[in-house]
Amino acid sequence: MSHSPPTVPSFDHHPRTRIVFGVDSVDRAGELARELGMKRVLLVTDPGVVAAGHAGRVRDVLEKAGVATVLFDKVRENPTTSDVSVCLAAAKEYAIDGIVGLGGGSSMDTAKGCNFLLTNGGRMQDYWGVGKAKLPMLPLIAIPTTAGTGSECQSFALIADEATHQKMACGDPKAAARVALLDPALTISQPPRVAACTGLDAISHALETAVTKKRNALSLAYSREAWRLCQSSFPAVLQNGKDLEARAGMLLGAALAGLAIESSMLGAAHAAANPLTAHFKIVHGQAVGLMLPAVIRFNAADPATAALYDELGEPKSAGLAAKVESFLNLAGMPRSLGDCGVEESAIPALAAEAARQWTAGFNPRLITERDFARLFEAALAPRNV
Ligand SMILES: [Zn+2]
């Protein structure tokens, strides 16, 4: 029997990550590690997370359960191929049988990158793309201390090429964490600026995944719930960082947005943000948040995409872009690329690079280098809310 071209997008969603959520759920790390057969793990984190006391707590919980724990605390923001090499050397020194990633997206990315090379050999460039790892990887437990990337719920490691600054998305189902341990109490320690930047990233993930070409019925459910949680929790977190309920909303929202990315990928705001981070050192969440209103307005010229934005509960997509702008203002973010040190003369190079980003191809409306130049111009002198 023949069918007409499908108007209902099909999908094949295989959940790979067990999600354990709850205040003080971090105390289950030892038991969960044992269930995965871990006896000797590398705890991958950064110095800030160690200073906040989280690494010590996780190490204690693991060791109490009989899991020997080696601390690697040299994770840096936006990890590069050489950062992964340093982590790999530490992993090779001890005969580990599991990895625990603790911290923000950079800790997860470094942990995943290390896992690729430790188990499959070669260099990160070999895994740029999807599904390039042939051998099984070590079990990974991801414990986020920020609510942003959603890396704990997806199979991608974002590693920058040390030489070219090119951000490589290295994805493989085997790289996904076996357990995402979501403890809202751990995210209380985020400094306000980190909470603002990572929160804007989560919001951008929710809004970009809700409209991409690759979205499907299930990813849409994740995107919409992520947006619902983040839009109500973000202002509350900015107002009172100790608001545990709001922190919980952001952490769950960020994780659900991460699940949405797994199917939907991302869009033009991420494509535009990557060169801004690479060349002007603008923090990822800030760069994406800054570009997002212009991207929403650009995409909303396509009626089908505008309808999807409208379904997110804002009165018309203009309201959605304005809402993101109000979040940027609340977070005290600069509203102009000019305030971030970007000059007009940089726009042609930025636009060319943005158009080459992988995520640009998933944007719901076809977007060219020239369109990106217009978006950057709009972000250079944005309207005020
Ligand atoms: Zn992002």
Side-chain angles (χ1 to χ4, degrees):
M1 195 173 112
S2 73
H3 294 276
S4 51
T7 51
V8 180
S10 53
F11 64 83
D12 179 345
H13 179 82
H14 181 170
R16 295 179 180 94
T17 303
R18 174 179 175 188
I19 300 174
V20 177
F21 175 85
V23 174
D24 292 330
S25 59
V26 70
D27 292 333
R28 294 184 56 194
E31 153 211 337
L32 292 165
R34 288 296 296 258
E35 267 186 53
L36 291 169
M38 297 179 178
K39 293 199 178 69
R40 193 175 179 83
V41 300
L42 190 69
L43 176 57
V44 178
T45 191
D46 69 51
V49 171
V50 174
H54 302 319
R57 182 172 172 194
V58 170
R59 193 216 291 248
D60 288 349
V61 169
L62 288 166
E63 300 231 315
K64 233 177 244 167
V67 181
T69 306
V70 181
L71 180 68
F72 176 81
D73 64 356
K74 297 189 178 64
V75 168
R76 297 191 306 166
E77 224 176 289
N78 301 314
T80 65
T81 41
S82 76
D83 291 314
V84 173
S85 302
V86 176
C87 186
L88 177 66
K92 278 184 170 165
E93 202 175 316
Y94 307 94
I96 60 165
D97 54 17
I99 303 178
V100 177
L102 172 71
S106 300
S107 289
M108 314 289 170
D109 286 334
T110 304
K112 286 180 199 166
C114 171
N115 204 356
F116 269 106
L117 302 189
L118 185 67
T119 54
N120 280 264
R123 44 183 218 138
M124 272 332 291
Q125 285 82 350
D126 301 335
Y127 304 99
W128 190 4
V130 177
K132 305 255 175 93
K134 300 215 161 46
L135 301 169
M137 293 168 67
L138 291 185
L140 167 71
I141 296 178
I143 311 175
T145 59
T146 66
T149 64
S151 180
E152 64 277 8
C153 286
Q154 16 136 339
S155 58
F156 287 87
L158 292 179
I159 306 294
D161 187 310
E162 181 77 28
T164 63
H165 299 290
Q166 171 72 49
K167 226 178 202 193
M168 301 179 290
C170 306
D172 195 290
K174 296 185 279 299
R178 299 282 290 279
V179 176
L181 191 42
L182 308 179
D183 185 343
L186 292 187
T187 67
I188 298 270
S189 62
Q190 284 177 96
R193 185 166 153 77
V194 173
C197 289
T198 55
L200 287 169
D201 192 26
I203 285 166
S204 305
H205 292 167
L207 294 181
E208 289 225 281
T209 54
V211 297
T212 59
K213 281 186 200 155
K214 282 177 70 79
R215 72 181 189 281
N216 62 48
L218 193 61
S219 72
L220 260 177
Y222 289 137
S223 303
R224 287 172 179 163
E225 180 62 4
W227 168 242
R228 191 187 70 79
L229 286 165
C230 289
Q231 68 153 335
S232 61
S233 306
F234 188 62
V237 159
L238 293 180
Q239 202 174 35
N240 173 17
K242 297 201 166 23
D243 183 337
L244 193 58
E245 210 173 309
R247 290 288 196 186
M250 283 308 293
L251 184 62
L252 190 54
L256 295 179
L259 282 170
I261 293 175
E262 195 69 4
S263 310
S264 299
M265 310 308 293
L266 289 159
H270 275 75
N274 285 349
L276 291 172
T277 301
H279 302 296
F280 293 94
K281 306 255 179 294
I282 304 176
V283 176
H284 174 74
Q286 184 183 342
V288 185
L290 219 148
M291 295 307 298
L292 187 60
V295 168
I296 291 173
R297 292 194 175 98
F298 172 83
N299 285 343
D302 167 46
T305 307
L308 284 167
Y309 284 139
D310 292 349
E311 281 175 43
L312 292 167
E314 288 305 308
K316 299 290 158 205
S317 36
L320 192 62
K323 182 137 198 175
V324 174
E325 286 170 334
S326 75
F327 285 159
L328 290 165
N329 290 344
L330 264 182
M333 289 288 160
R335 288 287 314 287
S336 152
L337 282 179
D339 294 338
C340 303
V342 180
E343 285 177 7
E344 200 169 357
S345 57
I347 288 182
L350 287 170
E353 211 170 307
R356 285 198 304 269
Q357 300 291 312
W358 195 37
T359 48
F362 306 116
N363 198 62
R365 188 179 161 202
L366 179 73
I367 183 160
T368 64
E369 186 175 329
R370 184 184 240 185
D371 296 322
F372 273 113
R374 292 217 182 95
L375 291 186
F376 284 123
E377 278 157 21
L380 204 58
R383 66 184 87 179
N384 282 313
V385 179

